Amino acid sequence: LTWRAAALKDAGVDYSKEAAMAKLCASEAATFCGHQAIQVLGGMGFVSDMPAERHYRDARITEIYEGTSEIQHVVIANKLLREDIAYANPAPPTNSQHE
């Protein structure tokens, strides 16, 4: 997803949907992995000396700063709706032969 967003940016095309999808996916995956590490370690996972606690805290903050996960959902939904509207209502063909 990140590479696709970067390729679209390099091509000069709107890449906001793909960038939002990449950020949302990465932040949720990092949080899930950190949470699972805490679960495996049990009570020791919450001890601040354990790397798992720091990793979970760092992963969790990625869902909050630089646009919350809810905002990323809104950006993605907005772009998808606009694409659907554009697909359902195509522009009428121009009649350049008669001009």
Side-chain angles (χ1 to χ4, degrees), residues 1-13 15 18-19 22:
L1 289 171
T2 304
W3 284 10
R4 177 167 169 74
L8 290 172
K9 183 179 189 302
D10 289 344
V13 180
Y15 62 96
E18 286 78 7

Side-chain angles (χ1 to χ4, degrees), residues 21-96:
M21 291 169 73
K23 183 193 180 304
L24 180 64
C25 183
S27 64
E28 287 183 352
T31 300
F32 176 78
C33 291
H35 183 263
Q36 292 303 311
I38 297 282
Q39 291 292 335
V40 168
L41 293 170
M44 287 300 294
F46 284 110
V47 176
S48 60
D49 294 338
M50 294 293 286
E53 184 271 336
R54 182 178 52 85
H55 291 306
Y56 178 72
R57 186 173 18 96
D58 292 347
R60 185 67 181 107
I61 198 70
T62 63
E63 293 183 336
I64 299 169
Y65 76 116
E66 290 187 23
T68 64
S69 292
E70 288 79 16
I71 297 298
Q72 301 305 322
H73 282 110
V74 170
V75 169
I76 295 165
N78 189 14
K79 293 295 181 178
L80 288 173
L81 285 172
R82 288 180 188 215
E83 289 174 7
D84 187 50
I85 290 170
Y87 181 77
N89 301 315
T94 58
N95 206 353
S96 59

